Amino acid sequence: VSVRGNHDVDDDNGAAYEANFGAAGSGVRYFAFDAFGGAVRVFALDSSFEDPQQLLWFEEELKLASSDSGGLTARGKHLVVMTHIGPYVEYWDPSTWNSPEGNEKAWGDFLQKDFAPLFERFGVSVVISGHSHLYLRGFRGGVAYATLGGGGAGLEKG
């Protein structure tokens, strides 16, 4: 399972990513599925840009997953979110973090502002992200956050 990241949309707005991961032409950038016999509901979000439609879709999916409607048996179901850029990220280079050119600080702002309250409200178990090439973990508002950014590149030092 894969989610789009900033480098996937840098040059061609995600066309190469979609061609490689089967979403070419479908416009699907975010999706959900059940795993482990329905004990886990996984949500894959596109953190490459702010999309009000994705936010509406995600809230409706969470409502379904946290009730017995929609054919889902939600009692005891773990809710897992995957996103490339997480809402709470430690950046290793303050000059990039704060620079007007890089403006990396703003990259996850919409996730923190719009999505994190939904994670807390609907009892998401864990939010897994990458982006930063390092390992971080922590809890906030009853939600576990893990940055597992070591895949495909060397780890940052710092």
Side-chain angles (χ1 to χ4, degrees), residues 54-63 118 121-122:
Q54 178 179 222
L55 182 63
L56 292 171
W57 168 86
F58 183 59
E59 186 169 12
E60 288 305 311
E61 283 286 323
L62 285 170
K63 287 176 185 175
L118 294 176
R121 186 169 118 208
F122 288 99

Side-chain angles (χ1 to χ4, degrees), residues 15 18 25 90 103 109:
E18 290 178 7
E90 288 287 328
N103 196 24
D109 283 355

Side-chain angles (χ1 to χ4, degrees), residues 46-113:
D46 182 355
S47 62
S48 23
F49 60 92
E50 192 168 1
D51 178 357
Q53 290 299 96
Q54 178 179 222
L55 182 63
L56 292 171
W57 168 86
F58 183 59
E59 186 169 12
E60 288 305 311
E61 283 286 323
L62 285 170
K63 287 176 185 175
L64 284 173
S66 62
S67 71
D68 284 332
S69 62
L72 299 172
T73 55
R75 306 285 185 257
K77 182 179 290 235
H78 289 283
L79 305 177
V80 175
V81 173
M82 299 181 332
T83 183
H84 181 72
I85 300 172
Y88 304 105
V89 180
E90 288 287 328
Y91 284 89
W92 56 95
D93 183 353
S95 62
T96 302
W97 169 258
N98 292 312
S99 79
E101 298 82 33
N103 196 24
E104 290 191 22
K105 185 175 186 284
W107 289 1
D109 283 355
F110 75 92
L111 291 163
Q112 191 175 113
K113 177 179 65 82

Side-chain angles (χ1 to χ4, degrees), residues 122-148:
F122 288 99
V124 167
S125 302
V126 63
V127 177
I128 301 167
S129 61
H131 186 63
S132 296
H133 298 191
L134 43 80
Y135 170 75
L136 298 167
R137 71 171 191 261
F139 289 88
R140 188 178 187 122
V143 179
Y145 290 89
T147 300
L148 311 172

